[in-house]
Amino acid sequence: MAYMDYEPVIGTIVNMARGSDCCSQMMSLRTNNGIVNFMITPETKVVDCRPLRAGLRVAAFYDASLPVPLIFPPQYQAQIVTVLTREEQIMLNRFDRNLTAEDNSLQLNVARNTNIETINGQNTGCNLGNQTLLVYYTATTRSIPPQTTPRRIVVLC
């Protein structure tokens, strides 16, 4: 699966509503730019399989290469949804063997307490270099590229 076209939208869930069938839901997020709606389907990967509810701060990723209806508020098909803590940032990118993002926007310093797992929650001992990673972090250095010690890394195989 190609994750390079995935774009994140970070916001707080204001509403979860039943979708067009019993297996889908409509999630409304309040973002800094207004309300954005996401369809959650059985194909949507929800990290940790956490139940989504109003009040949670989340990052929802959509495939920017897919067509979307020109409606307001915007509506996307969620590909990945993950719950974030209050100050947490997230990045989905391909990292090289030195754990520097492909676009040179972040470099990882993995610590012993960094939780590393697959998207379905399984521990992994694989080399993180040359992988697509979903990185959870709070603070970065002011260097170029910025460096961080992430709280969590999800390896997207």
Side-chain angles (χ1 to χ4, degrees):
M1 177 174 283
Y3 296 102
M4 65 190 137
D5 292 323
Y6 283 21
E7 292 290 330
V9 175
I10 297 175
T12 302
I13 299 174
V14 291
N15 189 38
M16 294 293 296
R18 187 171 167 188
S20 58
D21 59 38
C22 62
C23 294
S24 64
Q25 291 180 305
M26 179 66 75
M27 175 178 71
S28 296
L29 293 183
R30 180 181 304 116
T31 71
N32 291 338
N33 298 322
I35 298 294
V36 179
N37 292 324
F38 283 92
M39 282 302 297
I40 309 292
T41 67
E43 289 78 34
T44 303
K45 294 179 175 107
V46 179
V47 178
D48 296 330
C49 297
R50 290 200 44 192
L52 302 174
R53 59 175 171 71
L56 288 177
R57 183 171 179 263
V58 300
F61 290 85
Y62 67 94
D63 188 339
S65 69
L66 295 177
V68 295
L70 294 174
I71 59 174
F72 188 81
Q75 180 177 314
Y76 303 105
Q77 166 68 46
Q79 303 297 322
I80 300 173
V81 178
T82 186
V83 176
L84 301 175
T85 62
R86 185 175 189 172
E87 299 298 322
E88 198 162 45
Q89 299 298 313
I90 193 158
M91 175 185 277
L92 174 62
N93 211 319
R94 182 148 181 91
F95 288 80
D96 67 16
R97 63 183 174 89
N98 298 316
L99 299 181
T100 301
E102 212 171 53
D103 61 0
N104 209 36
S105 60
L106 190 66
Q107 183 174 4
L108 306 181
N109 298 315
V110 180
R112 286 182 177 228
N113 63 343
T114 301
N115 185 12
I116 303 170
E117 58 192 23
T118 63
I119 199 159
N120 63 2
Q122 302 304 306
N123 289 328
T124 180
C126 72
N127 183 349
L128 297 177
N130 299 314
Q131 300 279 348
T132 301
L133 306 174
L134 186 59
V135 179
Y136 299 74
Y137 64 97
T138 51
T140 63
T141 64
R142 293 179 185 242
S143 62
I144 297 176
Q147 296 181 33
T148 189
T149 302
R151 175 185 70 85
R152 181 180 189 192
I153 299 173
V154 175
V155 180
L156 300 177
C157 302

